[in-house]
Each structure stands twice: as C-alpha cells, then as structure tokens.
Amino acid sequence: MGSSNQVENYNEDALPVYTPMPWSLKEIRDAIPSHLFIRDTVRGLMYLARDLLLAAAAWSLATYIDPFFKQVHIAELLTPVGAEVARWAAWCVYWWFQGLIFTGIWVIGHECGHGAFSDHKIVNDVIGFITHTFLWTPYFSWKISHHRHHSNHASMERDEVYVPKTRSDLGLKKEGHPELDYDEILGDTPIYTLYMLIRQQVLAFPAYLLFNVSGQKTYPKWTNHFDPNSILFTKAQRNVVILSNIGIAFMLWAVSYSSSVWGASEVIKYYGIPWLEVSHWFIMITYLHHTDPVLPHYRGKEWNFQRGAAATVDRPILGWQGRFFLHDVAHFHVIHHFFPKMPFYHGPEATEHLKAFIGDYYASSDVPAFVALWNSYNKCQFVEDEGDVLFYRDKKGRALRRPADKYRVNTKYE
C-alpha cells in the first residue's frame, strides 16, 4: 500500500531541477594548481614496488596455511572440524587482501593506460602491458576503448560503456499509455535481482570484453576487444590489438602449465580467487562511479567533455583499505574524468580545488558500497527516448531529478 501511495503521489514537476554545467574545460583546468598535473615516474614505481612486495608477502604467507592447520597437534587443539574451519578462514583472509592488492596492481596498469604513471610512453606501455596481462586484461585493446569512454562519457550516442537502456529498449510504452505495465517488464523479485547483481559482479567485465555487454548499442552484434578488425579499432591500432591478444594467449599457457605442475586447485586458491575479486571490485567501483539516479546523461549538442566528466560520483569504497590498496581509485574518480593524465596521488588535493570551483556540480556519496550497488541497480533502469538531458528512472518510471524547463520535452503518451 505504501508503494502504491508513493507512485500516486509522485510529481515530476516537484523534483529537484538540473541545469547543465556552464564552464569551459579551460576555466576548470585553470582552477587546479599546475603542480598537480606533474607525473613522477619514480614515485609511481615506488607504489608499484610496494604492491608487488605486498603481493609476494601475502602469497608467501599463504604457503603456510595448509601445512600449519593440517598438523596433528593443531587438530587436537582445535578439534578436526575446528582446524578445518580455521584453515578456510585463513584462506578467506588471504583472498580478501590478495584480491585488494591485485586490484591495486590493476589500477597501476590503468594509470599507465592513461599516461598518468609516467611522462615516458614506453614506461607506461611496458608496465601497463605486464600488469594488465597478468590480470587478464588486454592492455592496448582496453586502453583504446577506455580512452574513447573518457572522451565521450555520458554521451548517449558515443560513450563506450554503461550506456543506459532507453524506454523503447525495454519495450515499455510511453508514460500514460493505457497498456503500460511496469511490473510486467521490470517487476523482478528481490531474489532474482540479487542473482542478477551477482552475475554482473562475476561476469560483467569478461562479457564486456568478449561481447560488448553494456557497451555502445550502435556497434555491430559481434563487437569485442579481441578482433583486430573490430569497429573499436582503427587499422593503425591493429598490431597493438594483436600484441594484447598474444599477452592473453601467454596467460592461457601460463595458467595451464601452472595447473599441470602444481594442480588446478592450488592455482585457483593462490591466483584464481584473488583475480575474481579484481573483476568484482573493478566492476563494482566503475558501475557505482557511472550509475546513479542523480547523474545526467546527454544527447546531441547538450553534451560536452566537461559535462560528461562531471556526470560521475566519488565514493569512499572500503574506507582506508580503498585508499591504501586501491590507490584512491574510488575516492577521487571525478577529478580523474576531468583530467585522466593526472596521477592518482594528486587526486585528493586536486579534488578540493575542483569542488571549490564547480560547487554543487561535484557529486559524491557516502552510502555504503553494497547498499549503493543495490539502490543503483534498482533505481537506474532506463532513460527516456526523447530529450537531450536525461536522468535514470526506476522500476515505476520515477526519476529523482529532472532537467530545467529549458531542456524538458514531453515524453508522455497523447
């Protein structure tokens, strides 16, 4: 009954009004001190060395887990069942921290892809290729499409990933149509929604690389990151796409060989599960950066780079662990979209200057990460087919924001 009253009481005219950001990119850049754009190769290498040492230390400590808990006197002390529970609890601790450390290494590769790690392209590409290949990301292929994402973020026509579905994509009738039934198309049970979220967290990144899932809908059906002739790439980029594929082929061999020597279960325990966590954290963080009912999307002439850059949200995911292990990738993402070549370690200070200049156009949220994931997944269902300034609508067709009158269009059935 409460839900029904909420739908009946919904009044779009009373929603908070949004007017697109007016400043040029140059005006915003001039508000950021110039020293924050300086890249320090040695400093970047120190962060990478720290991550590699942490990964090696965690791996080394993990080699003691099974021998320790399988000792006879440990089983006698804890009971056999207690020893097994403690052993797997220790593995869970390893997986948690090694997953975070691996994700931090992936973030270093991401910095390299943007040219933010070093002033030297060869340094960026060598380190980026090695770190991303180790974590099953085709470095050059993904670097190319990710650059296009940054160049076109929040553009309905040109963005590369997290492009919202439209009302017609979901087969929904216009608002006010007598045959419109939101529940028939969007009325999932909480259990099914949870299943879809888990599926997203596990499979979304491989699905994007292999099948362009959540990517630009105008691309051909079989668009992917491994075909050198894909629409994603130019002829001049063909060779580096092949090089990325060679790196992934090497990883297939390395994992297969390691499994034959040490056993598949050992490879899964030491490497496979931490890698799955990398995929999870990467998808969760990027999804929450780009998917929120208060963030706009644009069509046509209303889009520009700086408006797209502001259509992201900073989130303090994992608190101090996110700051330390993940190199602030979640905490200071908005500034990264404005200036992708800015090193991550300048993000905190640069964000303060950005906030001071753009004011309420800066978006951040302190909602706990998993709560935000559930909320965004349920509230960000689709955008309208018409209009150049758009906001997500939920499973009942309700938005949390609306464009200013100048940008509004009538989307109702008549």
Side-chain angles (χ1 to χ4, degrees):
M1 191 74 178
S3 175
S4 183
N5 286 337
Q6 281 184 343
V7 175
E8 292 173 7
N9 295 332
Y10 175 74
N11 179 4
E12 193 140 325
D13 291 333
L15 294 177
V17 172
Y18 183 86
T19 301
M21 191 171 67
W23 302 288
S24 70
L25 184 61
K26 183 181 183 305
E27 289 174 308
I28 297 169
R29 195 186 195 285
D30 288 345
I32 312 295
S34 59
H35 73 274
L36 297 178
F37 294 92
I38 296 174
R39 294 164 287 184
D40 185 338
T41 303
V42 173
R43 187 172 180 180
L45 288 169
M46 289 176 66
Y47 277 109
L48 174 61
R50 186 200 72 180
D51 288 352
L52 295 176
L53 287 171
L54 285 171
W59 192 297
S60 178
L61 288 171
T63 63
Y64 293 97
I65 293 174
D66 287 345
F68 178 80
F69 287 103
K70 288 183 177 181
Q71 294 179 89
V72 174
H73 74 276
I74 295 298
E76 291 174 348
L77 178 66
L78 300 177
T79 74
V81 172
E84 275 298 286
V85 170
R87 181 167 75 92
W88 287 110
W91 276 112
C92 286
V93 172
Y94 167 76
W95 293 330
W96 175 266
F97 284 103
Q98 190 71 297
L100 292 177
I101 295 165
F102 277 11
T103 305
I105 293 171
W106 190 94
V107 171
I108 293 292
H110 167 262
E111 288 278 296
C112 292
H114 282 293
F117 185 84
S118 171
D119 284 326
H120 307 288
K121 186 176 183 298
I122 186 66
V123 174
N124 287 319
D125 285 344
V126 168
I127 291 176
F129 178 75
I130 293 171
T131 55
H132 270 194
T133 299
F134 172 71
L135 295 168
W136 294 91
T137 301
Y139 171 72
F140 291 104
S141 308
W142 186 79
K143 169 186 172 180
I144 292 165
S145 67
H146 190 61
H147 172 75
R148 194 176 293 121
H149 157 66
H150 269 263
S151 299
N152 299 284
H153 178 248
S155 165
M156 290 293 293
E157 297 92 349
R158 297 186 303 278
D159 201 355
E160 288 291 319
V161 68
Y162 296 124
V163 181
K165 289 183 171 62
T166 64
R167 182 182 286 272
S168 60
D169 287 336
L170 297 179
L172 289 165
K173 303 290 185 182
K174 284 181 175 288
E175 190 68 44
H177 194 286
E179 296 179 11
L180 173 63
D181 187 344
Y182 284 116
D183 288 336
E184 180 181 356
I185 295 176
L186 302 176
D188 298 334
T189 66
I191 292 296
Y192 183 76
T193 300
L194 180 62
Y195 159 73
M196 293 296 289
L197 267 176
I198 293 172
R199 189 181 74 163
Q200 170 182 288
Q201 293 308 116
V202 174
L203 299 176
F205 190 44
Y208 169 63
L209 294 176
L210 289 165
F211 307 112
N212 192 43
V213 172
S214 85
Q216 182 53 246
K217 297 186 290 292
T218 60
Y219 289 164
K221 183 176 181 180
W222 298 109
T223 297
N224 66 79
H225 281 70
F226 299 96
D227 178 4
N229 298 312
S230 169
I231 194 173
L232 295 172
F233 315 117
T234 66
K235 288 184 178 180
Q237 295 166 335
R238 182 175 183 273
N239 288 340
V240 293
V241 175
I242 293 172
L243 181 58
S244 295
N245 291 347
I246 292 171
I248 297 302
F250 170 80
M251 283 302 298
L252 285 169
W253 172 84
V255 169
S256 176
Y257 176 77
S258 299
S259 298
S260 69
V261 174
W262 291 287
S265 63
E266 295 299 289
V267 173
I268 291 170
K269 282 198 300 187
Y270 284 92
Y271 173 78
I273 293 177
W275 173 79
L276 279 176
E277 288 192 52
V278 175
S279 185
H280 155 72
W281 289 123
F282 167 67
I283 289 301
M284 184 178 190
I285 290 168
T286 55
Y287 177 78
L288 290 178
H289 279 155
H290 302 95
T291 312
D292 191 282
V294 303
L295 297 177
H297 283 79
Y298 300 95
R299 288 194 181 102
K301 62 182 178 59
E302 294 305 332
W303 180 89
N304 60 41
F305 178 87
Q306 58 274 23
R307 287 179 178 178
T312 54
V313 56
D314 284 347
R315 299 182 186 271
I317 295 175
L318 294 177
W320 71 266
Q321 293 181 67
R323 298 211 60 186
F324 180 79
F325 292 109
L326 307 186
H327 304 300
D328 284 330
V329 70
H331 288 67
F332 304 106
H333 186 73
V334 177
I335 191 71
H336 168 69
H337 255 277
F338 276 97
F339 309 110
K341 286 190 174 183
M342 176 183 288
F344 72 87
Y345 41 81
H346 291 321
E349 183 180 349
T351 296
E352 292 304 313
H353 292 283
L354 179 70
K355 288 164 61 177
F357 187 83
I358 69 173
D360 290 341
Y361 287 100
Y362 168 77
S364 65
S365 173
D366 292 329
V367 175
F370 287 94
V371 175
L373 184 63
W374 180 266
N375 290 344
S376 289
Y377 195 84
N378 283 285
K379 292 179 180 178
C380 299
Q381 294 291 311
F382 67 94
V383 298
E384 295 292 354
D385 292 295
E386 300 88 11
D388 292 339
V389 181
L390 308 158
F391 289 93
Y392 270 115
R393 295 179 179 272
D394 67 11
K395 294 181 178 182
K396 297 293 184 182
R398 300 167 298 193
L400 293 185
R401 247 181 180 176
R402 70 169 178 85
D405 290 342
K406 174 183 176 181
Y407 305 96
R408 291 183 83 181
V409 297
N410 182 20
T411 59
K412 294 185 177 180
Y413 174 76
E414 295 179 347

Short mmCIF file of all heavy atoms in Angstrom, two decimals, residues 117-137:
data_model
loop_
_atom_site.label_atom_id
_atom_site.label_comp_id
_atom_site.label_asym_id
_atom_site.label_seq_id
_atom_site.Cartn_x
_atom_site.Cartn_y
_atom_site.Cartn_z
N PHE A 117 51.00 7.48 -15.28
CA PHE A 117 52.03 6.87 -14.46
C PHE A 117 53.38 7.55 -14.65
O PHE A 117 54.13 7.78 -13.70
CB PHE A 117 52.14 5.38 -14.80
CG PHE A 117 53.09 4.61 -13.94
CD1 PHE A 117 52.68 4.09 -12.71
CD2 PHE A 117 54.40 4.37 -14.34
CE1 PHE A 117 53.55 3.37 -11.91
CE2 PHE A 117 55.28 3.66 -13.55
CZ PHE A 117 54.86 3.16 -12.33
N SER A 118 53.68 7.88 -15.90
CA SER A 118 55.00 8.43 -16.24
C SER A 118 54.89 9.37 -17.42
O SER A 118 53.95 9.29 -18.23
CB SER A 118 55.95 7.27 -16.57
OG SER A 118 57.17 7.75 -17.10
N ASP A 119 55.87 10.26 -17.54
CA ASP A 119 55.98 11.12 -18.73
C ASP A 119 56.44 10.34 -19.95
O ASP A 119 56.34 10.83 -21.08
CB ASP A 119 56.99 12.25 -18.48
CG ASP A 119 56.41 13.34 -17.60
OD1 ASP A 119 55.21 13.60 -17.69
OD2 ASP A 119 57.18 13.92 -16.80
N HIS A 120 56.95 9.14 -19.73
CA HIS A 120 57.55 8.36 -20.81
C HIS A 120 56.57 7.29 -21.29
O HIS A 120 56.20 6.38 -20.53
CB HIS A 120 58.85 7.71 -20.34
CG HIS A 120 59.81 8.69 -19.73
ND1 HIS A 120 60.50 9.62 -20.49
CD2 HIS A 120 60.16 8.92 -18.44
CE1 HIS A 120 61.26 10.36 -19.70
NE2 HIS A 120 61.07 9.96 -18.45
N LYS A 121 56.19 7.36 -22.56
CA LYS A 121 55.20 6.43 -23.11
C LYS A 121 55.66 4.98 -23.01
O LYS A 121 54.86 4.09 -22.70
CB LYS A 121 54.91 6.79 -24.56
CG LYS A 121 53.79 5.98 -25.20
CD LYS A 121 53.50 6.46 -26.61
CE LYS A 121 52.32 5.71 -27.22
NZ LYS A 121 52.57 4.26 -27.35
N ILE A 122 56.93 4.74 -23.24
CA ILE A 122 57.43 3.37 -23.20
C ILE A 122 57.30 2.78 -21.80
O ILE A 122 56.98 1.61 -21.63
CB ILE A 122 58.90 3.31 -23.70
CG1 ILE A 122 59.38 1.86 -23.81
CG2 ILE A 122 59.83 4.12 -22.80
CD1 ILE A 122 58.66 1.04 -24.85
N VAL A 123 57.53 3.61 -20.79
CA VAL A 123 57.38 3.14 -19.39
C VAL A 123 55.92 2.80 -19.13
O VAL A 123 55.61 1.74 -18.57
CB VAL A 123 57.88 4.21 -18.40
CG1 VAL A 123 57.58 3.78 -16.96
CG2 VAL A 123 59.38 4.44 -18.58
N ASN A 124 55.02 3.70 -19.53
CA ASN A 124 53.59 3.45 -19.34
C ASN A 124 53.16 2.14 -20.01
O ASN A 124 52.47 1.31 -19.40
CB ASN A 124 52.77 4.60 -19.92
CG ASN A 124 52.84 5.85 -19.07
OD1 ASN A 124 52.80 5.79 -17.85
ND2 ASN A 124 52.97 7.00 -19.72
N ASP A 125 53.57 1.97 -21.25
CA ASP A 125 53.07 0.82 -22.01
C ASP A 125 53.68 -0.50 -21.57
O ASP A 125 53.00 -1.52 -21.55
CB ASP A 125 53.30 1.04 -23.51
CG ASP A 125 52.31 2.05 -24.11
OD1 ASP A 125 51.30 2.33 -23.44
OD2 ASP A 125 52.56 2.54 -25.22
N VAL A 126 54.95 -0.50 -21.20
CA VAL A 126 55.57 -1.75 -20.75
C VAL A 126 54.96 -2.19 -19.42
O VAL A 126 54.55 -3.35 -19.26
CB VAL A 126 57.11 -1.59 -20.61
CG1 VAL A 126 57.70 -2.79 -19.86
CG2 VAL A 126 57.74 -1.46 -21.99
N ILE A 127 54.86 -1.27 -18.46
CA ILE A 127 54.31 -1.62 -17.15
C ILE A 127 52.81 -1.92 -17.27
O ILE A 127 52.31 -2.88 -16.67
CB ILE A 127 54.58 -0.50 -16.14
CG1 ILE A 127 56.08 -0.43 -15.84
CG2 ILE A 127 53.79 -0.73 -14.84
CD1 ILE A 127 56.48 0.69 -14.93
N GLY A 128 52.10 -1.12 -18.05
CA GLY A 128 50.68 -1.36 -18.23
C GLY A 128 50.40 -2.69 -18.88
O GLY A 128 49.49 -3.43 -18.47
N PHE A 129 51.19 -3.04 -19.89
CA PHE A 129 51.01 -4.32 -20.59
C PHE A 129 51.25 -5.49 -19.65
O PHE A 129 50.46 -6.45 -19.62
CB PHE A 129 51.95 -4.39 -21.79
CG PHE A 129 51.87 -5.68 -22.55
CD1 PHE A 129 50.80 -5.94 -23.38
CD2 PHE A 129 52.86 -6.64 -22.41
CE1 PHE A 129 50.72 -7.14 -24.09
CE2 PHE A 129 52.78 -7.84 -23.09
CZ PHE A 129 51.71 -8.09 -23.94
N ILE A 130 52.30 -5.43 -18.86
CA ILE A 130 52.62 -6.54 -17.96
C ILE A 130 51.58 -6.69 -16.86
O ILE A 130 51.07 -7.78 -16.59
CB ILE A 130 54.03 -6.35 -17.37
CG1 ILE A 130 55.09 -6.47 -18.46
CG2 ILE A 130 54.30 -7.38 -16.27
CD1 ILE A 130 56.49 -6.08 -18.02
N THR A 131 51.25 -5.58 -16.20
CA THR A 131 50.31 -5.66 -15.07
C THR A 131 48.90 -6.06 -15.52
O THR A 131 48.24 -6.89 -14.88
CB THR A 131 50.25 -4.32 -14.31
OG1 THR A 131 49.93 -3.26 -15.22
CG2 THR A 131 51.57 -4.03 -13.62
N HIS A 132 48.45 -5.51 -16.63
CA HIS A 132 47.10 -5.85 -17.08
C HIS A 132 47.03 -7.25 -17.67
O HIS A 132 46.04 -7.97 -17.47
CB HIS A 132 46.61 -4.81 -18.09
CG HIS A 132 45.88 -3.68 -17.43
ND1 HIS A 132 45.11 -2.77 -18.13
CD2 HIS A 132 45.80 -3.31 -16.13
CE1 HIS A 132 44.58 -1.90 -17.28
NE2 HIS A 132 45.01 -2.21 -16.07
N THR A 133 48.05 -7.66 -18.39
CA THR A 133 48.06 -9.02 -18.93
C THR A 133 48.03 -10.04 -17.81
O THR A 133 47.29 -11.04 -17.87
CB THR A 133 49.30 -9.25 -19.82
OG1 THR A 133 49.26 -8.33 -20.92
CG2 THR A 133 49.33 -10.67 -20.36
N PHE A 134 48.79 -9.80 -16.75
CA PHE A 134 48.80 -10.69 -15.58
C PHE A 134 47.40 -10.84 -14.99
O PHE A 134 47.07 -11.88 -14.40
CB PHE A 134 49.77 -10.13 -14.53
CG PHE A 134 49.73 -10.84 -13.21
CD1 PHE A 134 50.23 -12.13 -13.07
CD2 PHE A 134 49.18 -10.23 -12.09
CE1 PHE A 134 50.19 -12.78 -11.84
CE2 PHE A 134 49.13 -10.87 -10.87
CZ PHE A 134 49.64 -12.16 -10.75
N LEU A 135 46.56 -9.83 -15.17
CA LEU A 135 45.21 -9.84 -14.60
C LEU A 135 44.13 -9.95 -15.68
O LEU A 135 43.01 -9.50 -15.51
CB LEU A 135 45.01 -8.58 -13.74
CG LEU A 135 45.93 -8.54 -12.51
CD1 LEU A 135 45.92 -7.16 -11.87
CD2 LEU A 135 45.54 -9.60 -11.50
N TRP A 136 44.48 -10.57 -16.81
CA TRP A 136 43.55 -10.94 -17.87
C TRP A 136 42.83 -9.75 -18.50
O TRP A 136 41.67 -9.83 -18.88
CB TRP A 136 42.51 -11.94 -17.34
CG TRP A 136 43.13 -13.26 -16.96
CD1 TRP A 136 43.61 -13.63 -15.74
CD2 TRP A 136 43.36 -14.37 -17.83
NE1 TRP A 136 44.12 -14.90 -15.79
CE2 TRP A 136 43.97 -15.38 -17.07
CE3 TRP A 136 43.09 -14.62 -19.18
CZ2 TRP A 136 44.34 -16.62 -17.61
CZ3 TRP A 136 43.45 -15.84 -19.72
CH2 TRP A 136 44.06 -16.82 -18.94
N THR A 137 43.55 -8.67 -18.65
CA THR A 137 43.01 -7.50 -19.35
C THR A 137 43.87 -7.24 -20.58
O THR A 137 45.08 -7.04 -20.44
CB THR A 137 43.01 -6.25 -18.45
OG1 THR A 137 42.23 -6.51 -17.29
CG2 THR A 137 42.43 -5.06 -19.19
#
